[in-house]
């Protein structure tokens, strides 16, 4: 990987370490408090800078090559940190499991009061990242990507909606809640640009269409 990418990964690791020590104390109470993505204007610029390429193969892909839900602080892993961050009135037990609270799913507008009804979505799915360039990363780099709390890459959403999205890109799937699509496209481009991942032509056209309406 390039020196620039290596520095980016170092920043991700440092940010994760900082979040581990401060995140649970300073997490905002607003629902779905995913890190704010770049503006629509910046996203349009970033999109124009992404390499357009036919999507790569899924050959060799495994979720195990993206170690996720790593320990962030004490007994809390990445999933539990995001549940705490994205919910309202979240109560956690000594094992950091969410035992109370409410969560608003930005993708479909549903509200849930049981953490078991939520999945933590990778904005850019792991398999999509693999086909867009992550197949050439190290496992450590893929781990940083899969647990990135600094970019708009992780968000708590309705579990079956996340499963419906699966590993599809915006040319194939967008949130049913249309008012969130602008934020979704901004976040998608933000993440792909930061990690220097490619886009295919259909994906780029879909993103352009959404961003032009922002």
């Amino acid at each position: 990987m390039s020196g620039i990418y290596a520095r980016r990964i170092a920043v991700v690791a440092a940010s994760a370490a900082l979040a581990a020590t401060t995140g649970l104390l300073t997490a905002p109470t607003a629902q779905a408090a995913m890190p704010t993505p770049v503006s629509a204007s910046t996203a349009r610029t970033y999109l124009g800078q992404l390499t357009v390429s036919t999507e790569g193969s899924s050959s060799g892909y495994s979720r195990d090559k993206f170690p996720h839900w790593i320990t962030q602080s004490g007994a809390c892993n990445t999933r539990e940190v995001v549940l705490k961050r994205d919910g309202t009135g979240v109560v956690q037990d000594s094992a950091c499991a969410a035992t109370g609270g409410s969560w608003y799913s930005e993708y479909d507008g549903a509200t849930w009061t049981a953490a078991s009804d939520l999945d933590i979505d990778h904005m850019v799915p792991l398999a999509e990242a693999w086909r867009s360039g992550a197949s050439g990363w190290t496992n450590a780099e893929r781990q940083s990507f899969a647990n990135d709390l600094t970019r708009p890459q992780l968000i708590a959403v309705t579990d079956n909606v996340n499963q419906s999205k699966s590993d599809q890109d915006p040319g194939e799937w967008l949130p049913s809640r249309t008012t969130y699509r602008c934020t979704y496209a901004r976040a998608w481009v933000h993440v792909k640009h930061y990690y220097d991942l490619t886009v295919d032509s259909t994906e780029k056209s879909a993103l352009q269409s959404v961003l032009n309406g922002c």
Side-chain angles (χ1 to χ4, degrees):
M1 302 302 295
S2 69
I4 291 175
Y5 187 84
R7 289 194 293 276
R8 285 180 172 178
I9 289 299
V11 170
V12 172
S15 298
L18 178 61
T21 58
T22 65
L24 296 181
L25 296 176
T26 60
T29 56
Q31 293 176 329
M34 178 181 73
T36 303
V38 295
S39 68
S41 174
T42 298
R44 286 191 288 269
T45 299
Y46 280 4
L47 182 59
Q49 295 170 351
L50 293 178
T51 298
V52 179
S53 176
T54 301
E55 196 164 85
S57 170
S58 293
S59 177
Y61 168 73
S62 166
R63 286 180 68 85
D64 292 341
K65 293 182 178 179
F66 291 80
H68 53 289
W69 308 165
I70 61 172
T71 299
Q72 292 289 344
S73 176
C76 302
N77 65 27
T78 307
R79 170 183 164 83
E80 291 150 350
V81 170
V82 175
L83 283 172
K84 174 73 171 179
R85 183 198 72 188
D86 287 5
T88 296
V90 177
V91 177
Q92 295 173 308
D93 64 19
S94 59
C96 208
T99 59
S102 66
W103 292 267
Y104 178 78
S105 172
E106 293 283 7
Y107 289 1
D108 59 330
T111 297
W112 303 98
T113 55
S116 58
D117 288 319
L118 283 299
D119 276 355
I120 307 305
D121 180 42
H122 288 96
M123 176 63 62
V124 175
L126 305 182
E128 164 69 19
W130 177 271
R131 297 189 297 265
S132 304
S135 60
W137 299 351
T138 66
N139 271 21
E141 289 164 344
R142 288 191 287 263
Q143 175 175 293
S144 293
F145 175 82
N147 296 276
D148 189 352
L149 294 167
T150 305
R151 259 59 55 184
Q153 166 65 348
L154 300 172
I155 185 171
V157 296
T158 303
D159 55 3
N160 63 354
V161 172
N162 180 54
Q163 291 152 23
S164 174
K165 171 185 171 179
S166 186
D167 62 350
Q168 298 178 94
D169 68 38
E172 304 160 316
W173 187 93
L174 286 167
S176 61
R177 185 167 162 258
T178 55
T179 53
Y180 194 69
R181 289 181 178 179
C182 180
T183 301
Y184 187 86
R186 288 160 49 208
W188 183 282
V189 173
H190 185 156
V191 173
K192 279 222 161 177
H193 184 269
Y194 182 83
Y195 286 99
D196 197 23
L197 295 168
T198 62
V199 289
D200 63 50
S201 57
T202 302
E203 174 188 356
K204 181 175 182 178
S205 293
L207 289 163
Q208 284 177 325
S209 178
V210 174
L211 291 171
N212 285 343
C214 291

